[in-house]
Amino acid sequence: MKFATKAIHEGTKPEKITGAVTTPIFQTSTYADEKLGVNKGYDYGRTINPTRQALEKNLAALENGKYGFCFSSGMSAVHSVITIFKPGDHVICSDNVYGGTYRLFEQIIKDYGIEFTFINTSDIDFIKKSIRKNTKLIYVETPTNPMLGITDLEAVSKIGKRNKIIVCVDNTFITPYFQNPLDFGIDIVLHSSTKYLNGHCDIIGGCVITSNNDIAEKIKFIQNAIGAVPSPFDCFLIQRSLKTLAQRMRAHNENAIAICNELIKNKKIKKIFYPGLKNHPHYKIIKRQMRGFGGMISIDLGLFKSAENFCNNLRIFQIAESLGGVESLICHPATMTHGSVPKDMRERIGITDGLVRLSVGIEDKEDLIEDIKGALKFI
Ligand SMILES: Cc1ncc(COP(=O)(O)O)c(C=O)c1O
């Protein structure tokens, strides 16, 4: 099956009692045994839930993986992956990961004895040079949040295999519609489902997908043991949203390209970061590993005041954390999503005080372009 067909049908079978075509919300915490020690395969809601199971199957299929696991947030998905590792292990991590991922690793997990090296993983030689005897995980975000930096999936996967290091990719920014890291030999894919997968800014969720039996067993154990599982209702909403992921991603992509074509004409913009621009430093890799460019654009307006005036004068784009919804959003990473990243590190990555990040929605592109042009007059 192709993507849009899988998104609608994988994991979803007509429900047994009524034939309902939509997987019901099994809003239950527990299941009655037929007699002591005999059940129907369901025992307790944290461990297993049919609504969650349907979603997990669907997500695994969309990422071309064998196993999917859902979590109550993207951060709990990241946490489940890092929990596989032990004190004394070393992790190489993209320096431009989501600020919350950096905070989790640097301010919590580090204290449990896991070491981290944050580097620019776009530079493959840098990854090779950072490997130590105890390196057990390479954690990559591609494209990165918010600089839209790219890591070569095939190259990083080869390094992982050669050195027996697990490689995990956060695929939140581009989604399985445009990129399938497992196809390049990556071991684990994760998402903040809060973003494009759900796409309607009305739930918080996360997921982990893998084809590796050993990793799947560990994640399943951690999911149940730590218990950061999503509610059946949230699973239902994500499942419902996935049915239109293909159509939404095409619309996000089309709108973002149209906006970029306008932005490059405007002299007030110092820099534009978008994977669809031919002058992106990794355009060749992008063409090889991505089937589209997505809906995220970052622009550098130079000064904080310019960023502030621009944000405050938009009418359709709303100033908000998060991304990937049908509605267009704008954020100022230095004070919002990446506020927990130290200033010197932020500046090294390119998150200047003048940088704003656009999450281009699926409204009419003419309206979005007018909105941006109007706000640019105020800087
Ligand atoms: C790339 C990326 N990964 C992970 C997360 C964390 O996800 P959540 O907010 O659902 O916990 C985010 C949140 O913005 C993100 O942008």
Side-chain angles (χ1 to χ4, degrees):
M1 281 194 265
K2 290 194 175 161
F3 192 92
T5 317
K6 278 202 280 192
I8 293 169
H9 294 287
E10 272 293 340
T12 318
K13 287 198 193 97
E15 186 267 332
K16 282 187 193 131
I17 301 173
T18 63
V21 293
T22 302
T23 307
I25 305 167
F26 284 88
Q27 192 71 32
T28 187
S29 59
T30 193
Y31 312 85
D33 283 2
E34 286 166 355
K35 52 185 177 179
L36 192 63
V38 181
N39 63 31
K40 293 187 162 80
Y42 295 87
D43 50 5
Y44 187 56
R46 168 161 40 76
T47 316
I48 189 163
N49 176 284
T51 319
R52 194 174 87 212
Q53 263 182 316
L55 174 62
E56 289 176 336
K57 274 194 191 156
N58 192 260
L59 286 165
L62 296 184
E63 278 292 11
N64 298 335
K66 260 162 82 180
Y67 310 99
F69 302 97
C70 289
F71 292 88
S72 56
S73 67
M75 285 322 302
S76 54
V78 178
H79 185 240
S80 77
V81 169
I82 203 68
T83 307
I84 295 179
F85 302 92
K86 301 273 176 287
D89 288 348
H90 172 242
V91 176
I92 296 171
C93 181
S94 300
D95 55 5
N96 178 207
V97 276
Y98 166 59
T101 304
Y102 176 79
R103 180 177 56 199
L104 173 70
F105 290 171
E106 189 61 18
Q107 294 185 31
I108 298 181
I109 303 298
K110 206 170 92 176
D111 292 346
Y112 288 82
I114 296 181
E115 298 165 37
F116 291 90
T117 304
F118 295 93
I119 56 157
N120 177 0
T121 51
S122 301
D123 186 332
I124 291 298
D125 282 338
F126 237 173
I127 302 182
K128 287 184 192 157
K129 282 182 196 142
S130 304
I131 292 174
R132 302 184 197 160
K133 274 197 185 128
N134 57 340
T135 305
K136 295 285 162 60
L137 172 69
I138 302 174
Y139 185 98
V140 168
E141 225 176 84
T142 183
T144 58
N145 176 6
M147 303 311 297
L148 287 314
I150 300 294
T151 295
D152 184 332
L153 291 174
E154 202 177 340
V156 73
S157 146
K158 274 190 190 148
I159 295 176
K161 299 257 174 306
R162 205 172 301 135
N163 296 280
K164 295 196 170 50
I165 300 170
I166 292 173
V167 184
C168 174
V169 169
D170 183 333
N171 204 27
T172 300
F173 254 47
I174 197 70
T175 82
Y177 183 67
F178 284 135
Q179 174 172 281
N180 293 111
L182 299 183
D183 291 356
F184 294 87
I186 299 297
D187 304 290
I188 308 174
V189 173
L190 66 82
H191 285 268
S192 164
S193 328
T194 314
K195 311 297 173 347
Y196 288 106
L197 298 186
N198 182 64
H200 294 74
C201 290
D202 52 12
I203 65 100
I204 298 287
C207 61
V208 173
I209 297 112
T210 183
S211 292
N212 179 306
N213 299 343
D214 186 40
I215 295 173
E217 206 175 299
K218 288 180 177 152
I219 297 284
K220 173 78 199 144
F221 178 79
I222 291 164
Q223 182 195 41
N224 181 51
I226 294 184
V229 290
S231 73
F233 182 53
D234 284 359
C235 291
F236 167 84
L237 285 177
I238 301 169
Q239 179 73 80
R240 179 184 154 122
S241 302
L242 285 174
K243 293 180 188 186
T244 56
L245 181 65
Q247 291 77 4
R248 284 187 285 111
M249 288 315 294
R250 287 201 284 265
H252 285 296
N253 190 63
E254 187 187 317
N255 281 1
I257 291 171
I259 288 176
C260 254
N261 288 339
E262 274 303 313
L263 290 173
I264 45 180
K265 293 184 209 153
N266 198 301
K267 299 241 158 41
K268 287 182 181 169
I269 295 164
K270 309 282 177 245
K271 282 186 197 152
I272 309 175
F273 304 91
Y274 183 63
L277 290 174
K278 293 211 170 70
N279 65 357
H280 189 292
H282 298 109
Y283 194 70
K284 263 197 192 151
I285 301 172
I286 291 168
K287 293 298 279 182
R288 206 167 62 223
Q289 68 190 30
M290 287 156 59
R291 297 180 290 272
F293 309 118
M296 301 302 300
I297 306 171
S298 289
I299 52 178
D300 198 334
L301 296 167
L303 302 170
F304 173 74
K305 195 74 204 147
S306 307
E308 189 181 31
N309 287 347
F310 179 63
C311 291
N312 288 344
N313 285 288
L314 287 161
R315 296 281 168 267
I316 298 173
F317 280 83
Q318 300 168 71
I319 306 170
E321 305 261 356
S322 205
L323 59 108
V326 290
E327 50 283 277
S328 292
L329 301 178
I330 184 157
C331 97
H332 181 249
T335 56
M336 295 169 73
T337 49
H338 289 68
S340 55
V341 177
K343 192 170 165 58
D344 59 328
M345 183 159 171
R346 268 201 323 259
E347 282 175 355
R348 180 158 48 84
I349 299 166
I351 307 177
T352 61
D353 289 347
L355 189 86
V356 293
R357 187 193 75 187
L358 304 171
S359 170
V360 177
I362 63 167
E363 301 94 335
D364 289 305
K365 55 178 172 285
E366 296 78 8
D367 291 334
L368 298 179
I369 290 170
E370 274 314 297
D371 195 28
I372 289 172
K373 278 184 174 169
L376 281 171
K377 290 190 184 133
F378 289 85
I379 68 170

